[in-house]
Amino acid sequence: METKKSAELFERAKNYFPGGVNSPVRAFRSVGGNPLFIEKGKGSHIWDADGNEYIDYCCSWGPLILGHAHDGVLNAVDKTMRKGTSFGAPTQLENELAELILLNNSFIKKIRFVSSGTEAVMSAIRLARGFTKRNKILKFEGCYHGHVDSLLVKAGSGLVTFGNSSSAGVPESFVNETITVQLNNKSAVEEAFLKFKDEIACVIIEPVPANNGLLLQGKEFLTFLREICTKNKTLLIFDEVISGFRMSFCGAAGLYNIQPDIITYGKIIGGGFPVGAYGANKEIMACISPEGNVYQAGTLSGNPVAMTAGIAQLSECLKENFYADLEKKTKYLVEGINKINPFKLFKLFHLGSIFWIAFTEKEKISNADDIDANSMSYFKTLYHSLLESGVYLGPSGYEVGFVSSAHTYDDLDKTVLAFKTALNKLV
Ligand SMILES: *Cc1c(COP(=O)(O)O)cnc(C)c1O
């Protein structure tokens, strides 16, 4: 496979950007080699700068649930764009996207649009603190919530201790407001509530943790969180930046039928443009400025072009059987790959249209400690073999894959064959 142009572009990029990239995982550090520079995409396929074609399961890390350059999205965006790209004043398009969401999602009653998932989470945390007049937040090891200061915290050594910052530049005083516990561990959560009685503003969780492998939680654990939060007047935040409009139109809240207090969205909601959002009931949302005293604003918030893309994409998601078809395809892919895995070297976990390849013998992986870091060397070999066979995944073994409505059964069959070839190299 010729990747000369990508390599040249990367050399140039290294002069301009730290590590040659504008977001770290793109740099291919965990799989080795140079990142591929992408030239174009259509449907389920992408082409790199050297003209190599791939079936894409990264899908821009989740937003592209209809695949690349979807005609409906492009046509709508084109029309809006010609009327101007940003006004910093309200437009009808914000109402339309809000109506599309709120009329089809009973878990939130009001919404605020922002420009990224990180911004949505950051604002949701401020809202929870403003509403409860408490400072501490509880998060889980193995969940990612964007690069928000107080959430770049990893667990300490004890069951319930203040963690350590996972990034330089985060003041210790911020870290001291964040309690980090293991996923799927009720007693750790109970202990935290005992230790910090009446101090915890919110518990934040990815209800389908999909940023550090796919660490599926039982409904029972999520229900337990709902109950312990209610009992302690703590707000439960579902960070649905990845699972929103992915697990179902109502995300994981809809899938499990659990009512969180605040939900954050991102990725799919923007149809490939930078959009995030957070929503809650009317009472909680009334705290947001200008109605209330929790300040949050944005120059490009509710941007008309981005709103248009969101409307076009979410309208497709509302069509009959959209999610059932996606899930059927994902199951087909996962079962196909698992079948050609005679040595049980790896396991594919999946939920809805998200899948994850784990090199493990474990039946279930539901918390970050269950992942064997050494197994990532297998992923490296697998990854490069898949690229050679024309299959593109996110370049890290901790990342999940996404099936879009643009993937065809022919794509899926070819992917299974690519895995077969890769497997031969692994054993
Ligand atoms: C991607 C993601 C974020 C961050 O969103 P950005 O748009 O990258 O800032 C936050 N939370 C979850 C669960 C995510 O998957």
Side-chain angles (χ1 to χ4, degrees):
M1 188 173 75
E2 177 74 51
T3 56
K4 205 166 135 251
K5 283 206 179 117
S6 279
E8 280 167 15
L9 288 168
F10 189 47
E11 280 312 305
R12 259 167 70 195
K14 281 196 250 180
N15 297 322
Y16 312 138
F17 314 117
V21 289
N22 285 300
S23 192
V25 71
R26 295 180 195 171
F28 268 49
R29 295 249 168 133
S30 65
V31 291
N34 288 331
L36 297 170
F37 277 61
I38 305 305
E39 179 75 25
K40 61 174 184 178
K42 186 71 192 168
S44 55
H45 289 227
I46 53 173
W47 286 262
D48 69 16
D50 292 274
N52 301 304
E53 181 176 352
Y54 309 89
I55 303 166
D56 178 27
Y57 292 97
C58 177
C59 295
S60 188
W61 304 100
L64 303 179
I65 198 166
L66 307 178
H68 297 270
H70 183 270
D71 287 334
V73 175
L74 291 190
N75 291 336
V77 162
D78 185 63
K79 264 191 210 137
T80 296
M81 217 164 54
R82 283 169 201 290
K83 296 197 245 171
T85 54
S86 181
F87 307 104
T91 65
Q92 184 182 316
L93 295 161
E94 290 150 83
N95 289 358
E96 282 177 27
L97 183 55
E99 280 161 10
L100 194 63
I101 294 165
L102 297 176
L103 295 178
N104 293 290
N105 178 343
S106 61
F107 294 91
I108 54 169
K109 296 288 180 262
K110 274 197 177 175
I111 194 164
R112 170 63 65 89
F113 291 119
V114 295
S115 299
S116 74
T118 296
E119 197 187 350
V121 171
M122 184 185 78
S123 311
I125 297 278
R126 185 180 304 136
L127 172 57
R129 285 172 162 157
F131 182 81
T132 59
K133 304 190 169 57
R134 296 173 178 179
N135 287 336
K136 294 207 180 336
I137 59 182
L138 187 146
K139 72 176 277 275
F140 296 90
E141 183 79 9
C143 284
Y144 175 69
H145 303 292
H147 63 91
V148 180
D149 273 338
S150 52
L151 292 168
L152 290 175
V153 178
K154 54 183 187 238
S157 48
L159 188 62
V160 179
T161 50
F162 290 121
N164 305 304
S165 162
S166 55
S167 163
V170 177
E172 202 182 318
S173 54
F174 287 30
V175 174
N176 288 345
E177 301 297 347
T178 303
I179 307 153
T180 307
V181 301
Q182 250 191 350
L183 278 164
N184 196 34
N185 186 338
K186 286 188 195 174
S187 49
V189 177
E190 281 164 349
E191 200 180 314
F193 272 103
L194 270 179
K195 200 162 161 185
F196 303 105
K197 196 166 165 47
D198 301 332
E199 288 184 76
I200 305 176
C202 61
V203 167
I204 183 165
I205 187 167
E206 283 181 79
V208 179
N211 278 287
N212 189 80
L214 185 61
L215 305 174
L216 295 175
Q217 304 297 294
K219 178 173 177 174
E220 201 213 339
F221 183 66
L222 297 171
T223 306
F224 157 80
L225 292 181
R226 176 62 280 174
E227 286 164 0
I228 199 165
C229 283
T230 305
K231 212 169 84 195
N232 288 279
K233 297 189 165 57
T234 293
L235 300 189
L236 177 63
I237 303 179
F238 272 8
D239 180 359
E240 298 234 40
V241 171
I242 222 168
S243 56
F245 311 100
R246 169 68 62 182
M247 289 299 122
S248 72
F249 194 85
C250 299
L255 177 73
Y256 294 117
N257 195 25
I258 294 175
Q259 174 70 61
D261 297 300
I262 305 177
I263 308 182
T264 56
Y265 298 107
K267 300 197 167 104
I268 291 174
I269 202 173
F273 284 80
V275 182
Y278 58 99
N281 65 26
K282 289 181 179 157
E283 187 197 356
I284 295 173
M285 289 305 276
C287 295
I288 296 293
S289 181
E291 208 170 321
N293 56 9
V294 174
Y295 189 71
Q296 187 271 307
T299 303
L300 292 173
S301 292
N303 173 267
V305 182
M307 294 292 107
T308 300
I311 294 164
Q313 175 151 281
L314 294 192
S315 302
E316 291 295 319
C317 296
L318 277 173
K319 288 186 176 160
E320 209 174 314
N321 289 328
F322 180 84
Y323 290 100
D325 288 345
L326 264 185
E327 186 162 2
K328 210 167 110 191
K329 279 186 201 170
T330 312
K331 223 170 151 203
Y332 180 86
L333 176 70
V334 165
E335 281 171 4
I337 296 169
N338 275 335
K339 236 181 259 162
I340 48 111
N341 181 15
F343 305 103
K344 300 268 175 277
L345 196 57
F346 55 79
K347 217 166 259 135
L348 265 80
F349 294 98
H350 72 106
L351 187 63
S353 51
I354 299 183
F355 65 90
W356 178 52
I357 305 148
F359 290 87
T360 185
E361 288 173 352
K362 297 193 175 94
E363 268 313 301
K364 245 179 76 185
I365 295 194
S366 55
N367 90 54
D369 299 335
D370 292 338
I371 302 174
D372 173 13
N374 294 320
S375 70
M376 292 301 158
S377 64
Y378 288 111
F379 182 80
K380 232 168 137 164
T381 310
L382 174 80
Y383 188 79
H384 287 285
S385 172
L386 289 177
L387 278 187
E388 289 281 341
S389 306
V391 172
Y392 186 89
L393 300 175
S396 160
Y398 290 94
E399 301 292 349
V400 296
F402 302 93
V403 175
S404 77
S405 61
H407 285 88
T408 62
Y409 281 90
D410 183 50
D411 289 330
L412 305 178
D413 287 335
K414 283 183 177 144
T415 306
V416 172
L417 273 179
F419 266 83
K420 208 169 185 169
T421 308
L423 187 70
N424 285 334
K425 290 182 192 168
L426 277 170
V427 293

